[in-house]
Amino acid sequence: MDDFLPPSVLLPFAAVGLALVLYKLAAFFRMLLSLFVLPGQPVQKFGRKGSWAVVTGASDGIGKEFSLQLAAKGFNVLLISRTQSKLDALAQDISSRYDVEAKVYAMDFARNDDRDYQNLSSILADLPDVSILVNNVGLSHSIPVPFAQTPEDEMKDIITINCIGTLRMTKLVTPILIQRKRGLILTMASFGGVLPTPLLATYSGSKAFLQHWSSALGSELAPYNIRVQLVQSYLVTSAMSKIKRPSMMVPTPKQFVRAALSKVGRSGGASGIAYTCAPYWSHGIMLWALETFVGTRNKFVIDFNKKMHEDIRKRALRKAEREGKKIE
Ligand SMILES: NC(=O)c1ccc[n+]([C@@H]2O[C@H](COP(=O)([O-])OP(=O)(O)OC[C@H]3O[C@@H](n4cnc5c(N)ncnc54)[C@H](OP(=O)(O)O)[C@@H]3O)[C@@H](O)[C@H]2O)c1
Ligand SMILES: *[C@@H]1O[C@H](CO)[C@@H](O)[C@H](O)[C@H]1NC(C)=O
């Protein structure tokens, strides 16, 4: 013990160590406050009662919950997805339960048809006041698949729906929001885009694209009093995730959307990522822990993630075989 370094040498190191620990602790408590204590901006702040919220991928899962919960808060809703009958049923349900109007437009974002966007443009022009856009529609790979084996259509559809569709919807709505100097644009991302994800490479890239695009847009539109927020999410029970039973890490769409709409303007677990929120508590802690202790883009994490998705692929292929289905 006697030949340890003298205190005059050790002390500066101890001080630096202590400062680092305090800094991390402060970040930890900031994250907890953001997730559990501090409220977000009320969404009603973005539009007076009766103004319109536009939701893509609105007929199921997370989008359906956004539509229902925004309607419950007094917004009229314009619902967009492929299936007219599902849209009609939801619009019916919404207008019978809440004192709001619901309009629908059926389109397939994968077709990227100019006429759809023209039609939407004229529908929007006829609405008295549009205040919220929820870019929720998204497609992932049907099962994890090596990029080299990814069907051409699946690859194209993912980019067309997740990226082009989101850009074109936002391009339609943004001028309206700029003109009224108030508005909210939420975009659904995914941890699949935070962590480079082997065997979901195209989906992963599309969600990483949305992260960068949305943060950049957030800064551009802030002077117009338009709040742009990327919504980060790990798994949620839905048709897409193919998970039916909720758990601590996997909330229902209802729980997830309740969190998302209560944390507008907060970061949740995404502190340090501008104009971004990881609103659901367990997802938020997970993202914070990943960023703080493990990192999101190092080789260790990517290789671990690859192993996980290789196993998911094996199980999915076995299941398909049992059920006599053919996959790619
Ligand atoms: N579930 C998760 O674990 C999870 C995790 C992270 C992020 N996310 C993201 O959250 C978003 C919503 O996912 P979800 O799980 O709620 O999905 P979902 O339950 O499968 O619902 C998808 C919705 O989008 C519509 N849709 C699908 N393809 C479309 C297309 N080509 N054109 C127009 N509408 C289309 C569907 O209705 P139709 O079939 O009638 O078109 C449905 O209303 C996605 O962006 C996803 O990437 C989900
Ligand atoms: C656009 O609107 C027109 C007129 O209502 C309609 O006939 C058409 O089917 C819509 N969709 C497309 C893709 O053109």
Side-chain angles (χ1 to χ4, degrees):
M1 290 302 272
D2 286 348
D3 32 292
F4 254 37
L5 294 166
S8 60
V9 179
L10 279 180
L11 227 69
F13 285 106
V16 169
L18 183 69
L20 266 178
V21 169
L22 287 178
Y23 176 74
K24 289 290 179 195
L25 267 179
F28 176 67
F29 285 111
R30 262 210 319 277
M31 178 271 293
L32 292 182
L33 274 178
S34 189
L35 279 174
F36 294 103
V37 183
L38 299 171
Q41 293 167 325
V43 283
Q44 287 88 341
K45 176 183 165 291
F46 297 96
R48 58 170 198 279
K49 196 170 158 40
S51 92
W52 287 78
V54 181
V55 182
T56 67
S59 57
D60 211 342
I62 297 169
K64 182 175 181 177
E65 272 303 324
F66 269 114
S67 310
L68 285 163
Q69 294 189 27
L70 286 168
K73 291 177 189 297
F75 289 89
N76 296 323
V77 284
L78 172 57
L79 313 169
I80 307 169
S81 77
R82 281 171 304 190
T83 319
Q84 184 80 45
S85 57
K86 280 160 76 181
L87 289 169
D88 289 338
L90 179 61
Q92 179 70 46
D93 185 28
I94 284 178
S95 45
S96 69
R97 273 158 76 178
Y98 308 108
D99 182 23
V100 301
E101 275 182 75
K103 283 189 196 294
V104 305
Y105 185 75
M107 68 182 271
D108 181 351
F109 281 95
R111 292 179 50 188
N112 194 27
D113 188 332
D114 290 345
R115 289 169 309 168
D116 279 321
Y117 290 98
Q118 280 153 15
N119 284 356
L120 277 174
S121 174
S122 53
I123 293 171
L124 289 169
D126 285 342
L127 300 178
D129 181 37
V130 179
S131 54
I132 297 180
L133 169 64
V134 183
N135 286 313
N136 164 80
V137 72
L139 177 70
S140 186
H141 302 270
S142 69
I143 68 166
V145 56
F147 178 71
Q149 285 164 246
T150 303
E152 193 86 12
D153 280 348
E154 184 172 273
M155 179 183 89
K156 269 196 335 228
D157 289 351
I158 288 172
I159 298 301
T160 308
I161 296 169
N162 300 9
C163 301
I164 308 282
T166 298
L167 297 188
R168 295 192 78 174
M169 282 307 301
T170 308
K171 202 90 160 66
L172 283 181
V173 173
T174 302
I176 303 174
L177 301 184
I178 287 180
Q179 202 179 20
R180 63 195 286 286
K181 290 200 171 338
R182 193 160 62 137
L184 174 64
I185 301 173
L186 297 176
T187 299
M188 276 306 296
S190 165
F191 280 21
V194 175
L195 308 169
T197 307
L199 278 68
L200 298 178
T202 304
Y203 179 72
S204 179
S206 77
K207 293 293 183 178
F209 169 95
L210 292 178
Q211 168 74 76
H212 266 53
W213 165 79
S214 181
S215 287
L217 186 71
S219 174
E220 282 187 28
L221 295 184
Y224 300 95
N225 196 26
I226 300 168
R227 164 65 67 174
V228 177
Q229 184 148 304
L230 188 85
V231 182
Q232 274 299 359
S233 171
Y234 181 60
L235 294 169
V236 175
T237 59
S238 82
M240 179 192 269
S241 69
K242 302 187 185 86
I243 301 177
K244 295 198 180 77
R245 198 143 51 87
S247 60
M248 188 178 79
M249 292 311 297
V250 187
T252 61
K254 188 179 192 149
Q255 293 170 314
F256 181 81
V257 169
R258 178 156 299 146
L261 290 180
S262 70
K263 293 292 172 189
V264 172
R266 297 268 163 221
S267 56
S271 47
I273 311 174
Y275 306 105
T276 300
C277 183
Y280 191 71
W281 70 270
S282 58
H283 296 177
I285 294 174
M286 180 177 167
L287 181 58
W288 177 83
L290 272 170
E291 302 238 350
T292 304
F293 300 116
V294 194
T296 53
R297 284 182 285 185
N298 57 68
K299 187 169 175 308
F300 168 78
V301 165
I302 297 179
D303 288 348
F304 182 85
N305 210 5
K306 177 169 74 181
K307 180 82 184 59
M308 222 168 78
H309 284 85
E310 282 169 350
D311 290 344
I312 298 174
R313 175 173 173 81
K314 275 187 210 130
R315 280 202 303 275
L317 287 177
R318 275 202 301 269
K319 178 158 183 269
E321 204 178 342
R322 273 201 313 275
E323 293 170 357
K325 273 191 246 162
K326 201 182 148 317
I327 288 187
E328 46 291 339

